Amino acid sequence: MVCPKCGSNHVNTQTVTDTEVTEKTKGFGCIKACIGFLIFNVWGILCGLCGMGKGKRTTRTKSKVVNVCQDCGNRF
Ligand SMILES: [Zn+2]
């Protein structure tokens, strides 16, 4: 491994792990319930109520490899 900036071979390879937490909070699906009511009557309302107060949490883990030059500090 050679640094593309200064040509040095004192390059450290590091694995960086990023953890990203995304949280989506859903309120009462009013529009959903209304549409559901129009289409499925009572069942539509029940379906709309089912989605009430449920939050969705997604955790994503990304790992990437970063090469750091020990001589000039270049990351590539
Ligand atoms: Zn370098």
Side-chain angles (χ1 to χ4, degrees):
M1 191 69 76
V2 176
C3 173
K5 201 177 172 185
C6 67
S8 162
N9 55 9
H10 299 131
V11 176
N12 239 0
T13 308
Q14 294 176 336
T15 313
V16 183
T17 316
D18 275 346
T19 314
E20 199 179 272
V21 181
T22 329
E23 204 168 335
K24 279 181 194 168
T25 359
K26 242 196 282 177
F28 171 56
C30 188
I31 296 165
K32 240 190 200 170
C34 289
I35 294 169
F37 181 73
L38 289 170
I39 301 168
F40 304 110
N41 291 318
V42 184
W43 284 108
I45 286 198
L46 288 173
C47 287
L49 286 169
C50 281
M52 186 173 75
K54 263 185 201 165
K56 204 181 174 189
R57 185 177 259 219
T58 327
T59 314
R60 265 188 290 174
T61 317
K62 279 185 278 179
S63 57
K64 54 182 178 178
V65 178
V66 182
N67 299 304
V68 185
C69 175
Q70 299 297 292
D71 287 349
C72 70
N74 185 32
R75 285 164 169 255
F76 57 97

